[in-house]
Amino acid sequence: MAKNTLTVTDNRTGKQYEIPIEEGDVIRASHIKEIKVSPSDFGLMSYDPAFSNTASCRSKITFIDGDQGILRYRGYPIEELADKSNYLETAYLIVKGELPDVKHFRAWEQNIKKHTMVHENIKKFMEGFRYDAHPMGVLVGTVGAMSTFYPDAKNIFDLESRRLQTRRLIGKMPTIAAAAYRLSRGLPYVYPDNELSYAGNFLAMLFKMTELRYKPNPILERALDVLFILHADHEQNCSANAMRSVGSSQVDPYSATAAAVAALYGPLHGGANEQVIRMLMEIGSVKNVADMIKKVKGGERLLMGFGHRVYKNYDPRAKIVKKIAYEVFEVTGKNPLIDIALELERIALEDDYFVKRKLYPNVDFYSGIIYQAMGFPMTMFPVLFAIPRTSGWMAQWAEMVRDPEQKIARPRQIYVGEPTRPYSPIEARLEPTSREDAVSDNI
Ligand code: SDX
């Protein structure tokens, strides 16, 4: 029977090494280190910038098959969860590993609702931001500040403490997000209404005006809840990696979540949904689509909302988002940008430049069109990604804390800098060389 090993010959020494192939078709980088030219040699390292072919952990939370366009949370297909579940139930599944029965769901729902309020000082803290502060910047700062309100969160090895912080963050993220929005609009904060659903309460904290009680439109409420389900987790994406890496120093989960929010803020990650709308608005009409495609193929621009590190097929979430768009338009009226998006997709999916690079719409391509139709400002779009992803981040963090194989993340490097050289007195020094990173004159 074939052995589950790799036999490697180091042609520098003629030595052979048998390296075990472990579950998941991986080899441990530590085995590569055994390949040496002499006993004093450090040994070989694997080099994988951006970790495009490196597994950082074993995880039970989310499964993605990029070629087949498959996404499952704890084994449940995203299509079924989007169709039959709700966000809080999906968050329970992601955090705890199983779908809840009625009793446990009710308890979970109550426990989350118990934590929708934030400390009054947090609101004062938020008022320190400029009126035009980007809400993702507000979220990074405010979530980080939450670590000072909950010093008990440092007990990361205490299961009950982890559970409490998870409930607090899932409960409070919408409140902070809505407060950032209201602040930017010069509107008074709206306190949570725990009679409403998770998505309904968020809509109320955003859009309630002088009416005694905000009544969310059920179609928009359900659309937002499904969008939250779609964004809840996505295995080792950039922000989950930030959560795990920062969390591996054993810092509290609020500080780690602030790092995850910061990672998500980037235009290549969660910030893409905002950039897609800016790109569609720049294109302006279907007749200008060909010109944008030309720029993209010329390497001048990225087609925002397209491409994915893992999906080399249509992002299954994008298909569902596209369907939700039309349900939302029934209420809000059609967002004309969707015609430009559809034409972009049509041309891109036929064009060899995109086909060859396996570039398909990802979750961000259509979501912004919905958010804009629902009345959200573009700067709030990545925030709408961060809210539901909080359950994924907390699940990834807790799995890392519990994993006996994990320890502080500390990658190695390949040093390509200067060889050793003696210190020289300042008078004797020449003009800094014209290296690409040399200090320029405008010091
Ligand atoms: C999310 O990781 C996750 O799971 C993330 C996410 C989640 O749920 O957490 O799914 C959410 O972040 C979705 C992605 C949102 N970002 C965007 O839509 C921004 C635009 N997309 C690209 O920046 C890019 O596709 C990435 C960042 C998403 C993925 O980049 P990779 O895997 O590093 O791919 P690459 O840059 O190596 O590209 C391979 C080739 C290159 O061309 P060549 O150098 O081979 O000629 O494809 C090209 C790239 O130039 N390419 C694109 C492109 N994406 C890749 N060309 C034009 N437009 C694009 N969008």
Side-chain angles (χ1 to χ4, degrees), residues 234 268-269 303 305-306 308-309 317 357 362 364 389:
H234 213 238
L268 295 188
H269 190 11
L303 188 51
F306 257 69
H308 200 277
R309 174 64 55 78
R317 299 168 297 176
R357 291 169 175 80
N362 59 51
D364 291 310
R389 187 53 61 93

Side-chain angles (χ1 to χ4, degrees), residues 76-343:
Y76 291 92
I78 191 68
E79 295 80 3
E80 286 200 57
L81 292 169
D83 186 32
K84 298 170 185 152
S85 185
N86 60 67
Y87 173 70
L88 274 190
E89 181 184 72
T90 299
Y92 182 101
L93 169 68
I94 285 172
V95 167
K96 297 189 182 282
E98 295 296 337
L99 284 169
D101 60 14
V102 174
K103 181 169 83 72
H104 285 88
F105 179 69
R106 290 274 167 266
W108 169 254
E109 192 177 36
Q110 285 317 309
N111 282 338
I112 298 290
K113 291 191 170 186
K114 234 186 323 193
H115 294 289
T116 50
M117 298 274 281
V118 294
H119 191 292
E120 287 292 297
N121 284 11
I122 285 191
K123 293 188 338 203
K124 286 196 201 106
F125 166 89
M126 291 178 77
E127 277 153 20
F129 287 99
R130 277 174 53 113
Y131 75 93
D132 59 351
H134 193 294
M136 279 300 271
V138 174
L139 206 57
V140 172
T142 306
V143 170
M146 283 173 78
S147 66
T148 65
F149 287 82
Y150 305 109
D152 56 311
K154 289 183 169 61
N155 305 323
I156 66 168
F157 295 109
D158 176 285
L159 174 61
E160 280 319 308
S161 175
R162 292 202 300 270
R163 283 176 168 164
L164 174 56
Q165 313 321 326
T166 301
R167 296 195 295 264
R168 277 175 172 157
L169 269 161
I170 294 175
K172 296 177 195 305
M173 210 52 128
T175 310
I176 294 169
Y181 170 75
R182 300 286 288 196
L183 204 62
S184 71
R185 286 283 187 283
L187 293 169
Y189 297 117
V190 175
Y191 281 90
D193 178 348
N194 285 339
E195 296 299 307
L196 296 172
S197 72
Y198 191 79
N201 172 45
F202 179 53
L203 289 170
M205 293 191 290
L206 286 161
F207 299 131
K208 181 178 178 301
M209 296 310 245
T210 56
E211 67 272 43
L212 279 179
R213 186 161 223 183
Y214 182 86
K215 286 193 181 56
N217 176 297
I219 294 176
L220 302 185
E221 183 180 7
R222 176 61 188 160
L224 194 58
D225 199 57
V226 175
L227 286 163
F228 281 178
I229 291 172
L230 298 176
H231 287 83
D233 189 61
H234 213 238
E235 57 134 281
Q236 303 314 311
N237 56 82
C238 182
S239 53
N241 181 58
M243 185 81 189
R244 281 177 171 262
S245 178
V246 170
S248 73
S249 72
Q250 297 184 5
V251 76
D252 69 271
Y254 298 98
S255 304
T257 303
V261 175
L264 191 74
Y265 191 1
L268 295 188
H269 190 11
N273 54 20
E274 175 184 348
Q275 298 308 321
V276 168
I277 294 297
R278 293 186 189 283
M279 174 185 72
L280 295 175
M281 291 169 77
E282 179 193 338
I283 293 171
S285 92
V286 169
K287 66 180 179 9
N288 301 332
V289 163
D291 188 41
M292 176 56 80
I293 292 281
K294 193 157 155 270
K295 285 181 185 158
V296 171
K297 290 169 70 174
E300 281 175 65
R301 304 287 294 270
L302 282 176
L303 188 51
M304 300 312 279
F306 257 69
H308 200 277
R309 174 64 55 78
V310 178
Y311 288 126
K312 298 308 171 192
N313 199 323
Y314 213 104
D315 183 334
R317 299 168 297 176
K319 284 183 192 156
I320 302 168
V321 173
K322 202 168 161 183
K323 194 166 74 60
I324 295 171
Y326 289 96
E327 292 162 11
V328 167
F329 293 163
E330 286 298 309
V331 175
T332 63
K334 181 173 152 185
N335 183 337
L337 293 180
I338 193 146
D339 294 328
I340 301 174
L342 288 168
E343 180 62 3

